Amino acid sequence: MLTDVQKERYARQLLEMSEEQQSSLLSKKVVQVGIGGLGSPLAYYLVAMGIGKLTIIEYDDISLSNLNRQIMYSTSEIGSFKGKISKDKLEALNSDVEIEVIEEKLTQKNYKKIIREADYLVDASDNAKTKFLVNDIGLDLNIPFTIAGVREMEGQIMSVVPHETACYRCVFGKVKPKGLVNNPPGPLGIYGFTAGVLGAMQAAEVIKGLLKMDGRLLNSMLMVDLLYMQFLNVKVSKNNNCIC
Ligand SMILES: [Zn+2]
């Protein structure tokens, strides 16, 4: 059950959810792949709302060109390891949450060692290859997951319950065989707020997924266009030829 301090910390969301739900949230383990543009608001909200443990997989250092969108970081932290800076800030935000940082690049070879126990997996990477990898890991380990992508003023986000709902490959992976997804040459342009909007949406999907709430982006992909402020929910269905 919740302590008096926890009842006060989470008071505003306890007007919405029960103490049992909050206690349940405080026992859940989430693995987040990447802590950059999407991952900064994602991690902040997950930790602020109180989960049990957040594992962050990240290997990169902070650079000046990250700072238009990666709001976890400050100018004085350029050159520091993202994982270390994030861990310090997130622990200062809420000591209810255990923060683990894994300084490795997630691969087909190491994921079983890295992701030993998780109630939810969330992709906050900046490249298609990792998004497909997170998809395949979620399917293999049978962990529900959310994937989002951003560029310019556009984003997409979907959630998957393995082997029950359509996966990321059902939507994007039909023509490209496993492991052969190429990234475009050079980085894509992005308005910083696009990552903020989609990262916060990912936090919503993770929390709703952990609490098994309705209204999630299952068998659907939300297409977000912040230039014209249009949100399109596209129904997707399981592809019989897909690995899922
Ligand atoms: Zn699929």
Side-chain angles (χ1 to χ4, degrees):
M1 278 288 95
L2 302 177
T3 65
D4 287 345
V5 175
Q6 287 173 328
K7 283 178 191 170
E8 188 171 344
R9 176 183 285 273
Y10 306 117
R12 291 297 288 274
Q13 63 202 45
L14 287 170
L15 295 170
E16 293 293 314
M17 66 174 82
S18 67
E19 284 192 33
E20 288 71 24
Q21 285 177 307
Q22 182 68 62
S23 295
S24 165
L25 217 49
L26 285 165
S27 72
K28 300 295 189 196
K29 297 179 171 70
V30 176
V31 174
Q32 167 177 337
V33 182
I35 186 151
L38 289 166
S40 293
L42 168 63
Y44 267 134
Y45 281 118
L46 293 180
V47 171
M49 290 187 68
I51 56 171
K53 180 178 177 182
L54 180 65
T55 298
I56 298 163
I57 303 171
E58 177 61 69
Y59 60 91
D60 209 4
D61 292 336
I62 301 160
S63 59
L64 180 58
S65 65
N66 294 154
L67 300 185
N68 82 318
R69 65 198 181 285
Q70 301 189 15
I71 58 168
M72 185 68 70
Y73 314 116
S74 304
T75 308
S76 62
E77 293 155 355
I78 290 167
S80 301
F81 173 46
K82 288 181 183 177
K84 163 82 171 76
I85 298 294
S86 306
K87 184 170 162 61
D88 289 349
K89 290 185 181 176
L90 294 167
E91 284 176 345
L93 172 58
N94 186 356
S95 61
D96 284 349
V97 187
E98 183 187 345
I99 310 293
E100 177 187 36
V101 173
I102 294 175
E103 189 175 356
E104 273 188 76
K105 189 177 167 79
L106 187 65
T107 68
Q108 288 277 6
K109 289 196 179 114
N110 67 10
Y111 75 86
K112 281 184 182 155
K113 176 172 65 81
I114 291 179
I115 305 171
R116 286 184 301 270
E117 45 176 8
D119 297 295
Y120 209 97
L121 182 60
V122 55
D123 165 78
S125 74
D126 63 353
N127 65 86
K129 192 175 171 188
T130 305
K131 294 180 197 306
F132 282 99
L133 179 62
V134 168
N135 182 78
D136 298 349
I137 291 170
L139 294 176
D140 185 41
L141 301 180
N142 204 21
I143 303 166
F145 58 95
T146 295
I147 296 177
V150 285
R151 59 186 287 179
E152 300 156 8
M153 285 199 213
E154 296 171 4
Q156 316 106 28
I157 173 171
M158 75 179 293
S159 298
V160 178
V161 176
H163 315 296
E164 287 181 33
T165 68
C167 82
Y168 193 74
R169 268 183 203 281
C170 287
V171 183
F172 292 114
K174 288 174 187 169
V175 291
K176 295 193 174 170
K178 198 171 174 176
L180 284 179
V181 180
N182 298 316
N183 287 320
L188 296 165
I190 181 164
Y191 290 78
F193 53 74
T194 311
V197 171
L198 271 294
M201 284 181 168
Q202 285 187 296
E205 285 293 290
V206 174
I207 297 290
K208 290 190 300 177
L210 292 174
L211 295 177
K212 304 245 183 319
M213 293 169 75
D214 291 334
R216 291 143 64 193
L217 292 168
L218 300 174
N219 290 316
S220 70
M221 172 163 283
L222 185 68
M223 316 287 290
V224 175
D225 176 348
L226 297 174
L227 178 59
Y228 294 101
M229 284 299 175
Q230 295 193 352
F231 293 69
L232 183 64
N233 195 323
V234 181
K235 294 291 158 211
V236 294
S237 49
K238 241 169 150 10
N239 172 3
N240 290 333
N241 299 319
C242 182
I243 58 164
C244 73

